[in-house]
Amino acid sequence: MQSYILRRILQVIPVLLAISLVIFMIINLAPGDPLANLKQTKNITQEDIEQRRETLGLNDPLLVRYFNWITNALKGNFGRSLQTGRKQIFELIVNRLPATLLLAISSMIISWALAIPIGVYSALNQYSLADYSITVLIFIGLSLPSFFFGIILIYVFALKIPVLPIGGMITPGKGGPLDIFLHLILPAFALGIRGIASLARYMRSSMLEVINEDYIRTAKAKGLKASIVIYKHAFRNALIPIITIFGLQIPWLISGSIITEKIFTWPGMGTLSINAVFARDYPVIMATNMFYALMVFTGNLIADISYVIVDPRIRYD
Amino acid sequence: MDNNKRNNSTWQNVWHNFKKNKLALFGLITIILLVIMALLAPIIAPYTLSEMDFANMDEGPSLQHILGTDKLGRDIFSRLLYAARISLSVGLIAEAIALTIGTTLGTTAGFFAGKVDTLIMRTVDMFNSFPFILLSITVVAVIGPSIYNVMIVLGVLSWTGPCRIIRGQFLQIKNEEFVEGARAMGASNLRIIFKHMLPNSISPLLVSATLGVGGAIMTEAALSYLGLGVQPPTPSWGNMLQAANDLHALETKPWLWLPPGISILLSVLSINFIGDGLRDSLDPKAQQNDH
């Protein structure tokens, strides 16, 4: 197991390097000039701009610049933002990370807490009206773009029935855990909808598969109470394959969080990266893409490891 | 000839199972209606795309404008129909690009195995570690937002699904008797791939392609909503949703943003119903515990 994890981590190094090279090339083929803003500023002459270009290394050949970037990045130095100049990008990202993690973890909790009972209930009442309605709702959840769902949530719960705050993470002048919690509800649901829907779907079919197994029939036949059969025998076994979804959920959450953060102006990495894209702040774009790639990879790795833990038949030797 | 007949009956069987699935049938009918409305947009639409009704600007639904008008006095219903053309074709073309790349690479990896396979699968790993949305945003912002660039970017970033499916199928069937048989008869590699292996791998690919179109429609909507997709004045469901960016319009003029949002939901929902129905009717095992 340990050697498998180690091998996977070693395997990912070239993959991450390749990703960084690809993103670096794409960004640097861009026609836009990162110093374009300076040209509009008065008191700055052409020589000043040229000098800045030289100090930023913008005149070096592409591969040289990539090599410089990657050697610094490996030391945790992603350079400075072109917009806010002063701050190290690493510091910017580390400051934004807690908000992103809070949002992602909350919607993960919501989706598991809701999806598992929904899926189990649906499976135990297969072909009932409730089961059909849940199935249709699950499909709607899977087909609803998270940003449109976010817009609907804002419309209903913040504008028409103003019970929840929107915009950012805290009310200016207030703060504290309760305030953050209230701000968190809508974005966490907007981001969680897809997870709720797909988890409930997996849970339903996993449960259906298990309750048709021989050992469930045996348990029933030997006279165990229905509740014990369902919760002790069926539910636990149905949950096992679902655990592996946990890792797969991380990439969905990451992609979803970027746009959800933007809609709710949540002060996380997603907002940081979208703003960087609009401002053509290349060093920040580069760094956030790499951070997200690392997070996606970690999610995939967790998924693969959980397959091995859950199903001992899978071997990775 | 015989082979052809068998194929026909297989597809008749699939259709027989498919039409028993009410949700799938609902999806198919909705999508057909949407496509017809999109194709006939110039005939059905009561107004042209850029026609401005200065007497009724920013008005809610009325007899003249059944879904109201935007702040330039343009008819929302007409724009919605034209947007359907754009959004549906972006979805279809993006998925077609993904399928072309994915099938080619998946076929190569599965058929030739060995080093080629390793190289292709490493590339798949790389693409799967890309933060999909952020990278699409980055690339579109870099090469410039336009309808064609969105199609290309979405296609190029989503070929890994079809690629893995085809490779998996090929690895599974390449030692089966009908492939061995074809090889023993002296069939060329290309003939074995196109005549024997691809037709036998089509079912899972069809399901993934269907669902892929829905995914591409959603991503296009997200990009256009952010202003990085289809550019106004060309309407797409995503860029029509930009109206919701203004909190005042969001609260008081739901006719601006609700119709495009519902159109996205309805089309993706229908496509997902179809995909799911196809999966069930193509795979006899799945029918036992799903409805």
Side-chain angles (χ1 to χ4, degrees):
Chain A
M1 190 66 199
Q2 271 171 339
S3 74
Y4 167 68
I5 297 176
L6 194 70
R7 211 173 62 229
R8 279 293 305 266
I9 292 175
L10 287 179
Q11 259 176 10
V12 85
I13 294 174
V15 173
L16 277 179
L17 280 175
I19 291 176
S20 69
L21 184 63
V22 170
I23 300 177
F24 193 87
M25 291 302 166
I26 292 170
I27 289 175
N28 282 287
L29 292 175
D33 182 354
L35 297 183
N37 284 341
L38 284 180
K39 282 183 190 148
Q40 265 116 47
T41 323
K42 280 181 189 168
N43 304 332
I44 290 184
T45 60
Q46 193 59 38
E47 285 98 70
D48 290 335
I49 294 178
E50 277 311 315
Q51 203 182 354
R52 186 145 169 78
R53 207 180 286 279
E54 196 58 48
T55 45
L56 285 173
L58 290 173
N59 287 336
D60 294 335
L62 207 51
L63 276 176
V64 174
R65 281 159 60 194
Y66 174 71
F67 185 75
N68 288 338
W69 181 85
I70 195 77
T71 40
N72 281 318
L74 287 175
K75 289 180 244 161
N77 176 12
F78 291 92
R80 286 164 203 277
S81 158
L82 295 180
Q83 287 169 287
T84 53
R86 297 240 174 89
K87 275 201 174 164
Q88 283 284 329
I89 291 173
F90 189 73
E91 202 181 320
L92 274 178
I93 290 180
V94 170
N95 285 341
R96 296 291 191 120
L97 205 55
T100 295
L101 290 180
L102 178 67
L103 179 61
I105 292 170
S106 313
S107 48
M108 205 175 230
I109 294 173
I110 292 175
S111 52
W112 284 80
L114 289 176
I116 297 217
I118 293 174
V120 171
Y121 180 83
S122 196
L124 294 179
N125 297 285
Q126 197 187 7
Y127 301 134
S128 70
L129 181 65
D131 178 35
Y132 275 109
S133 321
I134 289 172
T135 304
V136 172
L137 283 177
I138 285 174
F139 268 103
I140 293 180
L142 288 174
S143 315
L144 197 60
S146 65
F147 68 96
F148 181 52
F149 188 53
I151 291 171
I152 294 176
L153 288 179
I154 293 176
Y155 179 70
V156 177
F157 294 106
L159 298 175
K160 284 288 152 183
I161 319 166
V163 284
L164 288 169
I166 43 158
M169 208 163 122
I170 48 170
T171 319
K174 271 200 203 164
L178 180 70
D179 193 43
I180 293 179
F181 175 75
L182 290 176
H183 278 83
L184 185 60
I185 297 176
L186 292 184
F189 266 97
L191 181 56
I193 180 78
R194 195 199 154 103
I196 298 172
S198 50
L199 266 175
R201 192 160 182 232
Y202 281 116
M203 190 65 212
R204 177 181 177 275
S205 53
S206 172
M207 192 75 185
L208 282 175
E209 210 162 284
V210 169
I211 54 183
N212 290 322
E213 293 278 347
D214 288 343
Y215 61 85
I216 297 295
R217 198 175 333 128
T218 312
K220 278 185 194 157
K222 72 179 184 185
L224 284 181
K225 267 197 279 180
S227 57
I228 292 188
V229 176
I230 286 164
Y231 291 103
K232 241 185 152 178
H233 292 75
F235 177 66
R236 286 190 185 177
N237 283 305
L239 206 53
I240 292 173
I242 303 298
I243 303 291
T244 56
I245 307 290
F246 175 77
L248 294 179
Q249 215 183 350
I250 296 176
W252 308 337
L253 280 174
I254 290 166
S255 309
S257 74
I258 294 175
I259 194 157
T260 312
E261 284 184 11
K262 173 76 184 162
I263 289 169
F264 289 91
T265 52
W266 189 257
M269 269 176 67
T271 310
L272 176 75
S273 48
I274 287 196
N275 290 343
V277 169
F278 279 111
R280 296 191 175 277
D281 194 342
Y282 299 126
V284 177
I285 302 176
M286 201 55 219
T288 47
N289 264 300
M290 288 316 293
F291 254 80
Y292 278 121
L294 198 62
M295 281 158 82
V296 174
F297 160 73
T298 314
N300 289 340
L301 182 62
I302 292 176
D304 287 347
I305 292 173
S306 51
Y307 281 126
V308 184
I309 295 174
V310 162
D311 190 345
R313 283 169 300 181
I314 300 175
R315 283 269 164 266
Y316 286 96
D317 305 322
Chain B
M1 264 307 257
D2 260 16
N3 191 27
N4 224 346
K5 247 181 214 159
R6 193 185 60 86
N7 262 335
N8 268 341
S9 75
T10 313
W11 289 112
Q12 270 164 15
N13 224 348
V14 169
W15 169 240
H16 178 77
N17 289 330
F18 184 87
K19 69 183 178 191
K20 276 194 297 195
N21 183 331
K22 280 179 218 135
L23 294 179
L25 210 56
F26 164 83
L28 188 64
I29 293 170
T30 314
I31 274 298
I32 290 176
L33 285 178
L34 275 171
V35 169
I36 291 176
M37 282 166 77
L39 287 176
L40 298 182
I43 300 168
I44 304 175
Y47 298 87
T48 64
L49 251 188
S50 48
E51 203 171 325
M52 298 181 210
D53 183 348
F54 295 109
N56 295 302
M57 295 204 297
D58 233 352
E59 292 281 332
S62 64
L63 279 179
Q64 274 169 296
H65 302 277
I66 53 171
L67 290 175
T69 55
D70 64 9
K71 60 184 173 205
L72 298 173
R74 295 177 300 188
D75 184 57
I76 301 281
F77 179 65
S78 307
R79 289 182 66 73
L80 208 59
L81 289 177
Y82 281 98
R85 299 180 137 196
I86 305 286
S87 297
L88 295 176
S89 40
V90 171
L92 277 175
I93 294 173
E95 184 56 28
I97 296 174
L99 271 183
T100 313
I101 304 176
T103 313
T104 313
L105 291 179
T107 304
T108 316
F111 192 83
F112 296 103
K115 274 184 186 154
V116 188
D117 180 41
T118 312
L119 181 70
I120 292 177
M121 291 324 281
R122 281 287 152 277
T123 317
V124 167
D125 280 349
M126 182 175 101
F127 271 79
N128 281 347
S129 298
F130 277 136
F132 179 79
I133 286 280
L134 182 58
L135 193 68
S136 337
I137 294 172
T138 308
V139 176
V140 172
V142 164
I143 61 179
S146 84
I147 175 170
Y148 303 106
N149 288 346
V150 171
M151 290 172 183
I152 295 169
V153 168
L154 293 189
V156 169
L157 289 180
S158 31
W159 57 271
T160 55
C163 175
R164 290 173 88 151
I165 290 172
I166 284 289
R167 171 186 177 264
Q169 286 284 317
F170 268 42
L171 289 179
Q172 230 175 54
I173 61 176
K174 73 185 214 183
N175 292 324
E176 283 198 20
E177 282 163 8
F178 69 95
V179 178
E180 297 282 332
R183 192 166 285 133
M185 300 282 286
S188 67
N189 281 348
L190 278 181
R191 192 181 162 81
I192 293 175
I193 291 173
F194 283 102
K195 279 272 171 193
H196 300 280
M197 292 177 82
L198 270 181
N200 276 289
S201 317
I202 211 94
S203 334
L205 196 65
L206 203 60
V207 175
S208 121
T210 312
L211 300 176
V213 174
I217 291 177
M218 285 221 257
T219 316
E220 181 274 325
L223 288 178
S224 297
Y225 169 71
L226 289 174
L228 292 168
V230 178
Q231 294 297 300
T234 308
S236 88
W237 291 332
N239 71 28
M240 287 176 79
L241 268 165
Q242 282 175 13
N245 277 339
D246 170 10
L247 269 189
H248 180 67
L250 176 61
E251 185 172 1
T252 57
K253 295 166 193 152
W255 65 85
L256 291 179
W257 55 268
L258 211 47
I262 290 175
S263 308
I264 298 168
L265 172 63
L266 200 61
S267 53
V268 178
L269 184 64
S270 306
I271 290 168
N272 286 345
F273 281 151
I274 298 173
D276 198 59
L278 274 178
R279 186 195 337 251
D280 287 357
S281 43
L282 288 168
D283 174 15
K285 271 181 296 179
Q287 274 160 15
Q288 290 160 7
N289 52 24
D290 243 354
H291 50 251

